[in-house]
Amino acid sequence: MSTAVAAERRAARPAALFLVVGLAGFITTLDNTVVTVALPSIQRDLGARLAALEWVATGYILTFAGLMLAGGRLADVCGPRRVLLAGLAAFTGASLGAGLATSVPLLVAARLAQGAGAALILPATLAVLAGREERQRSMGVAVWMASGAGALALGPVVGGYLSQYAHWSWVFLINVPVGAAVIALAWAGVPAGARSGRSLDVPGVLASVVFLAAGTFALIHGGEYGWTSAPVVAALVTCLGGGIAFVAVERRAPDPMVALGLFAARSFTGGVVAQVFWGLGVNGVFFYTALFLQGVLGFSPTDSGMAFVPLALLVVLVTPLAPVLARRFGAGHTVAAGLTLVAGGMAAAAFLEAGDGWGRLLPAVCAIGVGSALTMPLGSAVLGAVPESRAGVAGGVFSVSREISGLFGIAAIGVIVHASGSFAAGYAAGLLVAAGLVLVGALVSLATLP
């Protein structure tokens, strides 16, 4: 690293970086879930057919997950600040287009473009943090993960409020002033850095896009179309072919996009695997929780949305403690304790019954919130295990593991829910399975993280 770049990074204010990272992580993750509650309003206004409406919800996730590794590689090749600004500009412009859309095709196109912008933003934010000293990197990654967790919890609340009291278009338009503010902050507060001099590895990029996009499509639509339906089988075959091609290309590439040697680093692999188990468990049941709260516990739509607020608040409040605890007790022990708390909260929620109210629900929610906050050292451990020149791709792998594991968790838990005699019994069984998966992640953390 040049003396000028090092001096620039030392001069950069951590608070500005943390604000950029937190806001960027929040808006990109929020758009995963914020639109779901607005879909009925969109259907009424635009006369959308159900199949088209599904693409409004899933188009974002498809390009987001499918292009994430490519976004990480671009951050390594072109510099994270350049890619972050480009991604923010694309995401903000696409959000404006979605809010002003007068037809479903225009809205779907805007959602696909939003996801592409987000795929540049997320790995670039992690790469921006990679060059900071260990304490700042840990806090920055904790802010990034907390903002994502908070957005995941608050998405349905924000979407429902805006749809009911404003207009569904504000689900997207709200991103425009926030995105513009983040662009200004990133322009002023994120150090420019330098280009790595690496090549783009176009064959690897293309193979990764085919592999991830086809796999994402299959996971999103498998339960809906049926796992043996022609579109899903074709997507799975394409995913398999893309994966094989990706490994073959990366083995032969002189400068591979994802150097397979990265996985020889114990903390990198362990952190990614632990993140996968967290995503399988938490995101797997998260999708069905609102249905359970309303259909079984009898909560109103507003109350079911408010049930996620304590979780989000605890994630935000406890997150600053996670790096402190990691330095005192080690990342492995801190993350394992957090995942154990999450599993305990899920197991407690599995025993909720019709008629139970806030008194029995809140302890489970609080345990999941506090436990999720304690998993924040995962990201810092992953970034700290790889060379800075590979931070973009490392961030892409870590982010993809979160997205894909969440989709796979929804599909897997969905099989359990639908195979049971009743939704309540299936949801309880799914919670217990999810808790077991999260506990596996705790064991992985203990075994692999420092």
Side-chain angles (χ1 to χ4, degrees):
M1 183 190 305
S2 70
T3 304
V5 172
E8 183 183 18
R9 286 182 175 171
R10 286 193 297 270
R13 292 173 294 176
L17 285 177
F18 296 164
L19 188 58
V20 169
V21 166
L23 288 174
F26 186 85
I27 60 174
T28 51
T29 306
L30 188 73
D31 269 64
N32 263 329
T33 56
V34 71
V35 72
T36 53
V37 184
L39 290 177
S41 301
I42 294 172
Q43 186 176 31
R44 285 194 301 270
D45 281 8
L46 300 183
R49 293 179 294 107
L50 184 59
L53 205 64
E54 290 164 355
W55 275 99
V56 174
T58 62
Y60 178 84
I61 304 172
L62 184 66
T63 50
F64 187 23
L67 297 173
M68 194 97 68
L69 280 183
R73 179 63 173 187
L74 283 171
D76 287 339
V77 171
C78 303
R81 181 176 182 266
R82 295 178 182 88
V83 173
L84 175 60
L85 288 170
L88 286 167
F91 179 85
T92 304
S95 295
L96 178 62
L100 299 178
T102 55
S103 68
V104 175
L106 287 175
L107 181 55
V108 171
R111 287 288 283 167
L112 292 169
Q114 269 189 311
L120 298 178
I121 294 169
L122 228 58
T125 53
L126 285 177
V128 162
L129 295 169
R132 312 298 295 181
E133 56 94 10
E134 193 276 334
R135 183 168 296 195
Q136 289 184 8
R137 184 181 71 240
S138 297
M139 182 55 70
V141 174
V143 169
W144 178 80
M145 293 183 70
S147 67
L152 187 66
L154 293 177
V157 181
V158 173
Y161 183 87
L162 291 174
S163 298
Q164 183 173 351
Y165 296 106
H167 187 264
W168 63 261
S169 60
W170 281 101
V171 168
F172 307 110
L173 292 176
I174 195 173
N175 290 326
V176 177
V178 178
V182 180
I183 289 172
L185 286 168
W187 186 274
V190 175
R195 295 176 184 268
S196 68
R198 294 182 180 279
S199 61
L200 186 57
D201 182 22
V202 174
V205 168
L206 293 176
S208 76
V209 171
V210 171
F211 168 59
L212 291 173
T216 302
F217 178 90
L219 289 172
I220 291 173
H221 295 291
E224 172 195 355
Y225 297 160
W227 292 100
T228 58
S229 65
V232 175
V233 170
L236 290 172
V237 171
T238 304
C239 175
L240 178 61
I244 293 171
F246 179 72
V247 173
V249 165
E250 295 303 276
R251 284 184 182 276
R252 294 177 182 152
D255 186 12
M257 181 174 76
V258 179
L260 300 181
L262 287 177
F263 293 93
R266 188 174 173 184
S267 294
F268 177 80
T269 302
V272 170
V273 171
Q275 174 71 12
V276 165
F277 279 107
W278 182 88
L280 284 171
V282 173
N283 292 335
V285 297
F286 210 81
F287 182 81
Y288 298 95
T289 298
L291 295 174
F292 175 80
L293 293 176
Q294 294 179 51
V296 178
L297 298 190
F299 281 32
S300 68
T302 302
D303 284 343
S304 66
M306 291 300 295
F308 296 103
V309 173
L311 189 155
L313 286 175
L314 283 169
V315 167
V316 172
L317 291 174
V318 178
T319 286
L321 296 176
V324 177
L325 293 172
R327 287 193 295 273
R328 175 68 177 83
F329 300 104
H333 287 86
T334 303
V335 172
L339 291 173
T340 302
L341 269 176
V342 170
M346 289 177 160
F351 294 96
L352 292 170
E353 299 175 346
D356 287 339
W358 289 99
R360 290 201 62 191
L361 175 65
L362 275 179
V365 170
C366 290
I368 294 171
V370 173
S372 294
L374 295 181
T375 66
M376 300 310 165
L378 271 177
S380 183
V382 167
L383 280 186
V386 302
E388 187 183 339
S389 61
R390 298 283 185 179
V393 162
V397 171
F398 188 70
S399 301
V400 163
S401 71
R402 181 170 66 174
E403 293 300 316
I404 297 298
S405 66
L407 292 173
F408 190 82
I410 290 171
I413 301 301
V415 170
I416 297 172
V417 169
H418 295 304
S420 300
S422 69
F423 175 78
Y427 179 75
L431 274 169
L432 292 175
V433 170
L437 292 170
V438 173
L439 281 178
V440 172
L443 294 175
V444 171
S445 300
L446 281 177
T448 61
L449 300 185

